[in-house]
Amino acid sequence: MRVKKRSKNRKAVKFYSTCFGFREPYKVLIDGTFVHHLLTQRLLPADDALRDLLSASRTPTLFTSKCVVAELRRLGKSYTESFDAAQLLATTKCEHDKVVSAVNCVLSLIGDKNPEHFFVATQDADLRERLREIPGVPVIYGLKNSLFIEQPSVQQRKFAQLDEEKRLNMDISEYKKLMKAASEGKTTASENGSDGEQHGRPISSLVKNALGVADKNKFKRNRAKGPNPLSCKKKKSKPQPAAIQNQGAAVDGEAKRKRVRKRKRSQKDNKQSETASQNWFP
């Protein structure tokens, strides 16, 4: 079970690192509910627990905000330990003149596309649901004495796919710029004459080079010229027709030379045959 959980977490971290550019050391934005969960379940030290969760080689940096700390202070004596622990974390600058709720503060820090590449650690179900709709926001939560990373939602996967297609395909504005540059190169080549013909290139080559498309001739696949000789049976050598004729003539000569030898009977055999005939015919 541990192996499956760890592989799922690694896949989630790899998704966000490849599609949204998350890099080590990771930054984790923690709210008051998650701080309280870490203390009640004794998941300490918190940075080591999160490093194991993210399978990171470097210790992640833990952040919170002044609005989160102020909310923990207002909750009273039952959250004094969480308030003291939150004050030890690094605080990010939130652009709030007045203190707002922790949920609104976290959402304002994340924005539309999470430019700071924060992992958000929270136990608030409503906040987690709202963060699923924002692309590029991995969410960390806890269940009893174990931590988990939410798998990427459908919206995040669609956004990553569309972003990849945009990078692969060319916009209309970029295409117009390429066509303009190609036409300018063609006109300068015609004005300069023979010298310009050497430097001027056709439109298709300019577009291909701008997109990084290589020519087909550079990538020739080495195909098999014939069957593998080690996997084939050896061909039997066929006898030549002249040799066959010589063999046939030799066989005929041997047949002609053969003589049929007659068996010579001795006198004893003749006598036995005569006695046998007398017995049969008296």
Side-chain angles (χ1 to χ4, degrees), residues 61-222:
T61 310
L62 309 184
F63 291 92
T64 188
S65 66
K66 63 180 183 180
C67 298
V68 172
V69 176
E71 189 178 65
L72 286 171
R73 184 192 297 166
R74 288 196 302 268
L75 291 173
K77 292 182 180 179
S78 58
Y79 286 85
T80 52
E81 191 178 358
S82 303
F83 171 71
D84 295 335
Q87 283 184 319
L88 300 175
L89 302 175
T91 56
T92 58
K93 292 181 180 180
C94 58
E95 299 176 355
H96 298 130
D97 297 331
K98 294 180 180 181
V99 177
V100 297
S101 64
V103 174
N104 293 331
C105 183
V106 170
L107 290 173
S108 65
L109 289 170
I110 295 300
D112 295 332
K113 294 183 179 180
N114 192 12
E116 295 293 329
H117 298 99
F118 279 122
F119 283 83
V120 181
T122 180
Q123 294 294 106
D124 192 345
D126 296 333
L127 179 59
R128 284 164 53 187
E129 189 174 354
R130 293 174 71 176
L131 290 172
R132 288 190 199 107
E133 299 176 359
I134 303 172
V137 184
V139 179
I140 299 171
Y141 65 98
L143 285 175
K144 294 183 179 181
N145 61 348
S146 57
L147 301 177
F148 296 90
I149 303 174
E150 276 194 2
Q151 296 302 310
S153 60
V154 178
Q155 291 87 349
Q156 293 183 358
R157 291 186 183 277
K158 283 183 179 179
F159 182 85
Q161 188 177 1
L162 290 172
D163 189 31
E164 188 177 358
E165 289 177 357
K166 282 182 182 178
R167 281 182 285 175
L168 291 174
N169 298 327
M170 204 170 31
D171 295 336
I172 297 172
S173 60
E174 293 177 352
Y175 179 74
K176 287 180 179 179
K177 287 179 183 178
L178 285 172
M179 295 294 288
K180 187 178 179 182
S183 61
E184 287 177 359
K186 196 172 182 181
T187 53
T188 53
S190 61
E191 289 174 0
N192 294 333
S194 60
D195 295 333
E197 287 178 359
Q198 296 176 359
H199 300 286
R201 289 179 293 173
I203 295 172
S204 60
S205 64
L206 283 170
V207 173
K208 282 183 179 180
N209 292 332
L211 294 174
V213 179
D215 296 333
K216 291 184 179 179
N217 296 330
K218 291 183 180 180
F219 299 98
K220 283 188 176 180
R221 190 174 289 178
N222 294 327

